[in-house]
């Protein structure tokens, strides 16, 4: 009565994950638990290592290519690659190629310990065949926890025997999976999604040279320097004094005598239109370009393009006149009578409407 019932169905665990596995026939990759359950790697490094081992040979896995494929930044991807390289799952070396150039050779390992032992025995560090592919299960373990038979392993070279402790540790770290029963044929099987490779990165076009106008291209005509409408000696003297003293408030605008003589009409036009000297000084010297190579040319341009509009024309004032009849004041350009006296005289001179 104490014999275990091996045919009884296993009870689902009351907590934790429950695997619903379907037998895969294509589109899958065998990943070792050394990577997927590594205690020293971050979750990003484990996921990136899984992605790298699922890629075919020759696929580019540079930092920029991975950053274009995944939403993580280049800094996080570079840190994950360094984690994989530190724990032996990745190896990057620089090799010389034709033309004197250097190229990065990247090797991905699913069994870093075996690769290290292979290099120690003098063999090349070639990718090791996964343990799941080498082991061939011969029987399934009982669902009630019966002993599981050891898988049949391929014989390794007997040149250097492997220690027994290492062999047992490797076998214990790899769980033995029982072969799943063949799935029953379904009337309409669901299509298996085929992984679509990431699109190839297209390098951005290099910026071309900036177009430079030819010397014979037509140029925009220069705005002429303004001049006052009624030039006077005092107006020109005030303009010359303003230009000669610009370097006191703006040291960059130290002008020569010839430059001052050529810019005096423009400043005089500003002063004639009612602009104050401090306003003229601020308008033509504030916020200069860096570096300032031609101060006189900048002043000429600003005097010509920033000149304020002329003041509105003054309305003529009609003078006051005294009426010759009543001595009242009225506005008129000529002396005479006011409007009331003119109207009264017009009524007196008119004929009587009754005819008397």
């Amino acid at each position: 009565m104490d014999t275990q019932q091996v045919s009884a169905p296993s009870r689902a665990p009351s907590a934790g994950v429950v695997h619903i596995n379907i037998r895969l026939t294509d589109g899958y990759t065998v990943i070792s638990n050394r990577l997927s359950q590594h205690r020293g790697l971050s979750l990003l490094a484990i996921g990136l290592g899984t992605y790298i081992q699922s890629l075919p040979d020759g696929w580019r896995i540079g930092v920029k290519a991975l950053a274009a494929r995944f939403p993580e930044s280049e800094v996080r991807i570079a840190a994950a690659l360094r984690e994989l390289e530190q724990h032996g799952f990745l190896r990057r070396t620089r090799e010389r190629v034709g033309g004197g150039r250097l190229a990065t050779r990247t090797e991905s390992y699913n069994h870093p310990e075996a690769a290290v032992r292979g290099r120690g025995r003098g063999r090349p560090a070639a990718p090791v065949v996964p343990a799941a592919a080498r082991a061939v299960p011969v029987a399934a373990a009982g669902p009630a926890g019966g002993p599981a038979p050891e898988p049949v392993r391929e014989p390794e070279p007997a040149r250097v025997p492997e220690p027994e402790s290492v062999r047992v540790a490797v076998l214990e770290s790899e769980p033995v999976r029982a072969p799943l029963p063949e799935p029953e044929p379904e009337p309409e099987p669901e299509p298996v999604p085929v992984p679509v490779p990431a699109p190839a990165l297209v390098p951005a076009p290099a910026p071309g040279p900036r177009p430079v106008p030819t010397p014979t291209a037509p140029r925009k005509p220069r705005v002429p320097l303004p001049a006052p409408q009624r030039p006077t000696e005092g107006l020109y003297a005030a303009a010359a004094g303003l230009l000669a003293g610009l370097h006191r408030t703006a040291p960059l605008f130290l002008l020569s005598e010839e430059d001052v003589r050529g810019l005096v009409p423009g400043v005089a036009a500003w002063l004639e239109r009612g602009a104050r000297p401090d306003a003229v000084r601020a308008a033509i010297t504030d916020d200069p370009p860096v570096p300032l190579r031609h101060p006189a040319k900048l002043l000429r341009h600003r005097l010509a393009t920033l000149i304020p509009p002329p003041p509105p024309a003054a309305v003529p004032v009609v003078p006051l006149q005294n009426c010759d009849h009543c001595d009242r004041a009225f506005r008129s350009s000529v002396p005479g009578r006011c409007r009331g006296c003119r109207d009264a005289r017009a009524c007196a001179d008119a004929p009587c409407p009754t005819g008397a």
Side-chain angles (χ1 to χ4, degrees), residues 322-345:
N322 289 333
C323 180
D324 296 339
H325 184 266
C326 65
D327 201 22
R328 292 180 178 178
F330 69 98
R331 291 191 179 275
S332 176
S333 57
V334 294
R337 294 187 177 187
C338 64
R339 184 176 180 181
C341 294
R342 290 196 306 267
D343 293 344
R345 184 174 181 178

Side-chain angles (χ1 to χ4, degrees), residues 181-354:
E182 293 292 336
E184 298 181 359
E186 298 180 0
E188 293 182 359
E190 297 182 357
V192 179
V194 179
V196 180
L201 296 178
V202 179
R210 295 179 58 186
V212 179
T214 59
T216 58
R219 295 183 179 180
K220 186 177 180 180
R222 187 171 60 175
V223 181
L225 187 69
Q229 298 293 332
R230 297 180 180 85
T232 60
E233 186 176 353
L235 192 63
Y236 274 84
L242 188 148
L243 289 171
L246 286 180
H247 66 279
R248 296 189 181 94
T249 57
L252 297 178
F253 293 91
L254 181 60
L255 304 177
S256 63
E257 184 178 357
E258 183 180 358
D259 293 335
V260 171
R261 190 180 301 109
L263 297 175
V264 160
V267 178
W270 283 56
L271 297 177
E272 185 186 36
R273 296 190 179 190
R276 296 180 302 176
D278 55 346
V280 177
R281 188 181 299 107
I284 62 178
T285 60
D286 282 355
D287 195 17
V290 179
L292 181 60
R293 296 186 175 89
H294 305 286
K297 290 184 179 180
L298 177 64
L299 294 179
R300 180 185 181 89
H301 173 73
R302 290 185 174 182
L303 287 173
T305 57
L306 302 180
I307 184 171
V315 180
V317 180
V318 181
L320 290 173
Q321 305 288 345
N322 289 333
C323 180
D324 296 339
H325 184 266
C326 65
D327 201 22
R328 292 180 178 178
F330 69 98
R331 291 191 179 275
S332 176
S333 57
V334 294
R337 294 187 177 187
C338 64
R339 184 176 180 181
C341 294
R342 290 196 306 267
D343 293 344
R345 184 174 181 178
C347 291
D349 294 343
C352 183
T354 60

Side-chain angles (χ1 to χ4, degrees), residues 68-81:
R69 172 64 175 81
F70 297 101
E72 283 75 13
S73 63
E74 294 185 7
V75 176
R76 297 188 60 191
I77 290 177
L81 290 176

